[in-house]
Amino acid sequence: MDNKTKETLAFLFARNKEANSFSMTSDGQFFSEKHRAESHSQNLKDAKVTTYHRSAFETVDKLKAQLSAKEAEVEAVKAEQTAKEAAEQAANKATKTEELETVTSGENQEEKPVEETKVKTTKKAK
């Protein structure tokens, strides 16, 4: 079904709440009664008549809406997952930085007492 047919059917079903189906002839004419479409199609090269039912048309629209909603949910979950991963990476980086700072400051603390001990020992020897 092409977009023009979909748009026409949406318009027809919206305007004709009591109609349960529309039949379309090969020349693009729509009829609310199938026998009128069949009668019209007898004068055409292609006598094909296609009938579209409201229930099927509405079901397709509902399914498309549901699919769009699910796709939006998937995108939201992906965005949330990406945000969590970024937060975890930032937290891991911060933890590694803190560990590195602790190790570095710990090395500096170990060096200071050694220097202080040397200074004290030197003073006692005099």
Side-chain angles (χ1 to χ4, degrees), residues 93-107:
K93 185 175 181 179
T95 302
K96 287 179 183 178
T97 302
E98 288 174 8
E99 290 173 355
L100 182 60
E101 288 173 355
T102 302
V103 168
T104 305
S105 67
E107 289 173 357

Side-chain angles (χ1 to χ4, degrees), residues 11-61:
F11 175 79
L12 290 171
F13 283 128
R15 287 289 189 115
N16 299 282
K17 301 289 185 190
E18 73 289 342
N20 291 318
S21 66
F22 284 95
S23 296
M24 184 179 82
T25 56
S26 61
D27 66 346
Q29 296 289 321
F30 286 87
F31 298 86
S32 59
E33 298 172 350
K34 187 174 183 176
H35 72 277
R36 290 183 188 260
E38 290 168 342
S39 176
H40 176 77
S41 71
Q42 291 175 0
N43 299 324
L44 303 173
K45 275 186 178 181
D46 183 0
K48 181 179 177 184
V49 173
T50 306
T51 301
Y52 298 97
H53 298 277
R54 179 186 295 275
S55 60
F57 188 76
E58 290 175 348
T59 299
V60 168
D61 284 346

